Amino acid sequence: MIILLFAFILLFTTVLQAFMPKFLKQTEAFGVYVPEQYSTEKTVIRLKSKYTRVVLIAGLVILAGYLLWSLTQNPTEATLALISVGVQFSMLFISIGYYFMMHLRVKKLKEEQKWLSGKSEVRVVDIKFQDKLKLIPKVVFIIPMIVTIGLIIYTFIKYPEMPDMIPTHWGPNGQPDDFSEKTYFSSIAILLLLLVMQGMFLLMSEGMRFSGSKINPANKKTSLAQQLEFRKYTSWFALFISISVTLMMGYLHLQTIHPDISSAWVMLALPITFLVVVLFGVLIYAVKVGQSGSRIKIKEDSPNLEHSITAVDEDRYWKGGILYFNPDDPSILAEKRFGVGWTLNFGRPASWIILLLPLILILTIAFNL
C-alpha cells in the first residue's frame, strides 16, 4: 500500500510538473515575460515542448526504478520510507534544475532578438478592481478556526480522561508508533498547528484583495475578467483546503480523546483519502483555472493593440523567474510566473513576517512535543 501511495504521488507530481507550461499564460515562459507577438515564437514553443518531454521521461524512469527496487528488494519499513521520500525530492530537483536551464535560454533569446526594442511599456490599472472582486468573506475562513478553538476547550474539559501518553504519529499500518507524555500543551498541539494553517489560508485569501492586478494591455477585457475569476477560484480553493485539513486533523485529535471512534483501518484510510482528494483538487484547479486564470474561457475578447505597445517588463524583479523582490510594489502577494498560484513579494518586510512567523510557530510546537 505504501509503495503504491508513493508511486502515485511521484506519478502525479511528475505529470503536473511536466505539463506546467500548458497551464501558464502565453506571455510568460519559464519566468520570463514574453510580449504578445512573440508568444507563438517557434523557439519558445519548442523549449516548452522539450521541457515537458524531458521532465516526463525522467519522472517515468525514476518511477520505474523505484517500483523495481521496492518490489524486488523487500526493504525494511524505515528504508522504504527514506527512499520513497528521496525519489520525490530527486524528481523535484531534476525539474527545478531543468527549469533554470530553460529560463536562461528564454532570457538569452529575449535579449538576442530584442523583443522589447521600439515598444512602449504600458501598465493598465482598473481603479475599481477591488470592488469587482468576489472573494470568500473572511468570516467564512474564521468559522473553521472557531471550531478548532471549540475543540481546544473540549480537550481541556476531557483532559483528566485522556491517556497518559498522547499519540503523535501513526505508522503505515494505521497504528500509533510515536507518543508524547500528556500535558496541557501536548494535548492540544495538533490543534495549535491547525490554527496556524487556518490562519495562513485566511491571510492568502485576504492578501489577494490587496494584490495589484496584472492586466494585459493587448487584451484588457479578457485579461481583467480572467484576473477576477482567478482570484475568486483561488479563494474557494483555499477554503476547500482549509476545511479538508480541519476535518482530517480534527478527527485525528478527537480519536485521542475517544479511541473507540476510530480503528486501524480508518487511521490508514483517512490520510490517504485526504491526500488523494487534495491532489485531485490541485489538478482540477490547475487545469480549469491556470496561471492568472489563463485557462478560463471568456466569451468577449477585446481587439489586440498595435505591436508598438506592450505590458511593463518586470523581469528585473523576478530572481530566476521564481522569487519576487519589488520594494516599490505595495502588494504582499504576487502571481507566480512559473506555477499556478501565488508567491510572496520578498521586497516587502511584511512578507518575511508572514513567511517566518508561521514557520517559527510550527517548529516551536513540533520541538516541544
Side-chain angles (χ1 to χ4, degrees):
M1 177 64 75
I2 297 301
I3 295 174
L4 292 178
L5 177 61
F6 276 104
F8 169 75
I9 296 173
L10 180 58
L11 178 61
F12 180 91
T13 54
T14 295
V15 172
L16 190 63
Q17 291 174 74
F19 288 95
M20 186 56 67
K22 305 293 184 182
F23 305 139
L24 306 182
K25 294 188 295 186
Q26 287 189 329
T27 53
E28 288 174 6
F30 301 106
V32 178
Y33 170 65
V34 181
E36 194 82 19
Q37 57 270 35
Y38 291 99
S39 60
T40 56
E41 210 271 348
K42 290 183 179 179
T43 305
V44 175
I45 294 176
R46 181 173 57 82
L47 291 176
K48 290 181 179 180
S49 298
K50 187 177 181 180
Y51 173 87
T52 297
R53 186 169 59 253
V54 170
V55 172
L56 188 60
I57 292 174
L60 292 178
V61 170
I62 292 175
L63 175 61
Y66 169 73
L67 288 174
L68 181 63
W69 172 83
S70 58
L71 295 175
T72 59
Q73 297 301 310
N74 194 26
T76 63
E77 187 176 296
T79 302
L80 178 62
L82 181 63
I83 297 299
S84 298
V85 173
V87 295
Q88 308 292 334
F89 278 103
S90 297
M91 188 58 227
L92 181 62
F93 291 144
I94 289 173
S95 63
I96 291 177
Y98 199 61
Y99 158 83
F100 279 116
M101 290 177 59
M102 295 294 103
H103 170 77
L104 293 175
R105 293 184 67 174
V106 174
K107 192 173 181 180
K108 182 180 179 180
L109 181 67
K110 181 177 181 178
E111 294 173 354
E112 290 177 345
Q113 296 188 358
K114 299 180 180 179
W115 289 352
L116 298 175
S117 178
K119 293 180 174 58
S120 300
E121 297 182 21
V122 176
R123 187 184 302 277
V124 179
V125 178
D126 187 333
I127 59 176
K128 295 184 178 180
F129 183 78
Q130 291 186 355
D131 297 332
K132 297 176 182 178
L133 285 172
K134 296 180 181 179
L135 305 180
I136 302 296
K138 59 184 176 183
V139 66
V140 178
F141 282 90
I142 293 175
I143 292 174
M145 302 177 73
I146 295 174
V147 171
T148 303
I149 293 173
L151 286 174
I152 291 176
I153 296 172
Y154 181 72
T155 301
F156 287 154
I157 294 173
K158 290 290 185 177
Y159 182 80
E161 303 174 22
M162 295 177 67
D164 293 333
M165 300 299 292
I166 305 294
T168 56
H169 187 269
W170 289 261
N173 59 359
Q175 296 290 346
D177 57 8
D178 195 14
F179 299 83
S180 291
E181 183 179 352
K182 182 178 75 170
T183 64
Y184 281 103
F185 177 80
S186 65
S187 66
I188 63 168
I190 191 173
L191 297 178
L192 295 177
L193 288 172
L194 179 56
L195 272 177
V196 173
M197 287 188 283
Q198 290 168 336
M200 291 171 65
F201 290 124
L202 170 60
L203 285 175
M204 185 180 76
S205 181
E206 286 300 300
M208 291 187 295
R209 193 182 304 277
F210 305 102
S211 176
S213 58
K214 306 294 183 182
I215 301 174
N216 185 357
N219 215 354
K220 291 185 288 186
K221 290 184 179 179
T222 298
S223 180
L224 174 60
Q226 288 177 333
Q227 282 272 313
L228 293 171
E229 290 295 295
F230 169 61
R231 299 185 190 216
K232 180 184 74 174
Y233 281 117
T234 304
S235 183
W236 276 101
F237 183 67
L239 179 62
F240 164 72
I241 299 296
S242 180
I243 292 175
S244 299
V245 171
T246 301
L247 290 174
M248 186 189 71
M249 295 183 69
Y251 181 85
L252 289 176
H253 178 75
L254 282 174
Q255 68 85 33
T256 64
I257 304 175
H258 303 287
D260 54 309
I261 69 172
S262 185
S263 65
W265 184 88
V266 172
M267 296 305 295
L268 176 62
L270 181 64
I272 294 176
T273 302
F274 168 78
L275 180 63
V276 171
V277 169
V278 169
L279 287 179
F280 273 104
V282 171
L283 181 62
I284 293 171
Y285 174 74
V287 172
K288 179 176 177 59
V289 179
Q291 180 197 31
S292 301
S294 57
R295 295 183 63 85
I296 298 174
K297 303 300 180 184
I298 305 299
K299 293 182 180 180
E300 183 181 4
D301 289 330
S302 59
N304 290 337
L305 297 175
E306 59 270 23
H307 286 186
S308 61
I309 296 178
T310 186
V312 175
D313 182 13
E314 296 185 336
D315 284 359
R316 62 187 180 278
Y317 299 124
W318 288 90
K319 311 306 178 184
I322 294 179
L323 299 179
Y324 183 58
F325 288 84
N326 187 356
D328 297 324
D329 185 354
S331 303
I332 301 298
L333 294 180
E335 299 169 21
K336 288 182 178 180
R337 280 202 165 186
F338 193 81
V340 178
W342 298 81
T343 186
L344 291 169
N345 176 9
F346 292 100
R348 306 293 298 178
S351 295
W352 290 98
I353 297 175
I354 292 173
L355 174 67
L356 295 177
L357 183 59
L359 182 61
I360 293 172
L361 290 174
I362 290 173
L363 291 177
T364 301
I365 294 170
F367 282 113
N368 280 278
L369 285 176

